[in-house]
Amino acid sequence: MNHKNQIPSDEELTAYIDGELSDTEVSRIEAILGSNEHAAARLEFLSLSGLPFQEAFEPLLGAAPKAALDAMVGTMPAEIKPVSARSGRRGFLGALAACLVAGIVTDRAFIGIRNRVHAPDESSEWRAVVAEYIALYTADTVAGPSPSSEDQLVQLARLNDKLGLSLSPEALSLPGVEFKRAQLLQYDERPLAQIAYLDPEAGPLALCIVRSDVGTKEPDVEGRRGMNVVYWSNATHAFMLIGRIPIDRMQELAEDVRRRV
């Protein structure tokens, strides 16, 4: 499957910043950055961790109890130990993380800076959870005949009741993709609606909805688990459309359903 149109994940963008990608991957990501303002904005945000934090916190690191930290690092599993060969940004952040684990950094000013620079979107956790299981879907997962309009109404009635929605088959119809099922899941003890579709070329596609109090947010895009995501929220609910469809078309589909739901 062609992944050239997929928005790079944060991991890919970080590797791009650190010069850890192959020439082929660099060319692919630069092509996306040149044509997608959302990906470019995300790269700029991630690049903030390259600011001169090391100089600012050098006294803190110098005052750290080195022997205690070395002993602590020695007890860590190999996969999470700081890699001494890595210098610069990642090496500094690893050392600072060790200080945080040891309880050394408690200054409120630093906590404020750390939260402003590194805190994820408040609503990103549920999208990460959804992406984990949607990544396991194949065309066979949603294969079989599509439900009739009557069956769709029955399935949607359950979602409407639990989430306080008024979804209808007409509102959820997406051009070029086939409605497959609507089911009720649960996230963090809250009902989560999932409407699954099948695109003949890109495979499974899902619209997911949860109750949310984060307020109205305009659509934005991101990459998760090799898939493209368009997400937004209104006063009462958060929405995400996720799948392997090229991002331009995903945005068109999301805008289409957003106008009607």
Side-chain angles (χ1 to χ4, degrees):
M1 186 176 294
N2 187 353
H3 300 289
K4 64 183 295 186
N5 293 315
Q6 290 179 356
I7 291 181
S9 65
D10 285 358
E11 291 80 4
E12 289 176 312
L13 290 175
T14 300
Y16 172 80
I17 294 168
D18 290 346
E20 297 176 351
L21 296 180
S22 66
D23 291 343
T24 300
E25 285 299 295
V26 167
S27 297
R28 179 181 71 84
I29 288 178
E30 288 181 345
I32 295 173
L33 293 173
S35 61
N36 190 294
E37 61 182 19
H38 298 287
R42 189 63 183 168
L43 176 70
E44 181 178 358
F45 173 80
L46 293 172
S47 297
L48 289 175
S49 59
L51 292 173
F53 295 149
Q54 183 160 1
E55 291 81 357
F57 291 101
E58 196 68 54
L60 175 66
L61 294 174
K66 185 177 185 303
L69 289 174
D70 287 344
M72 180 183 299
V73 171
T75 65
M76 291 181 181
E79 61 271 17
I80 64 172
K81 287 183 182 179
V83 180
S84 59
R86 283 186 183 174
S87 59
R89 184 170 66 97
R90 289 192 176 186
F92 165 68
L93 293 177
L96 187 56
C99 293
L100 287 168
V101 172
I104 297 167
V105 180
T106 56
D107 183 80
R108 287 180 180 270
F110 168 70
I111 292 173
I113 293 172
R114 182 170 62 100
N115 287 342
R116 286 196 299 272
V117 175
H118 295 290
D121 180 348
E122 290 179 356
S123 63
S124 66
E125 186 176 347
W126 82 277
R127 300 197 304 273
V129 171
V130 169
E132 286 289 335
Y133 71 80
I134 296 295
L136 302 176
Y137 279 25
T138 69
D140 291 335
T141 307
V142 291
S146 298
S148 64
S149 296
E150 291 76 12
D151 289 337
Q152 290 182 37
L153 285 170
V154 172
Q155 294 177 13
L156 293 174
R158 188 180 304 110
L159 306 187
N160 290 334
D161 179 60
K162 291 293 184 179
L163 281 94
L165 296 166
S166 56
L167 304 174
S168 67
E170 294 75 21
L172 295 173
S173 175
L174 297 179
V177 296
E178 189 176 4
F179 183 110
K180 283 299 184 179
R181 66 175 181 234
Q183 59 183 348
L184 187 66
L185 305 174
Q186 181 172 287
Y187 166 72
D188 196 22
E189 300 183 352
R190 291 180 290 166
L192 186 156
Q194 183 205 82
I195 298 90
Y197 303 86
L198 182 61
D199 181 89
E201 295 182 359
L205 179 73
L207 172 67
C208 298
I209 311 168
V210 294
R211 288 187 184 272
S212 172
D213 57 4
V214 301
T216 300
K217 290 189 175 182
E218 292 299 306
D220 204 348
V221 298
E222 63 185 357
R224 290 188 181 272
R225 305 286 293 180
M227 296 172 288
N228 288 322
V229 178
V230 182
Y231 62 96
W232 67 96
S233 62
N234 59 25
T236 56
H237 294 84
F239 304 79
M240 65 180 289
L241 187 66
I242 179 171
R244 294 183 173 84
I245 291 176
I247 190 60
D248 290 345
R249 184 164 176 245
M250 284 283 285
Q251 290 176 293
E252 292 174 0
L253 293 174
E255 185 59 30
D256 191 33
V257 73
R258 180 171 169 258
R259 286 196 302 264
R260 291 183 272 115
V261 172

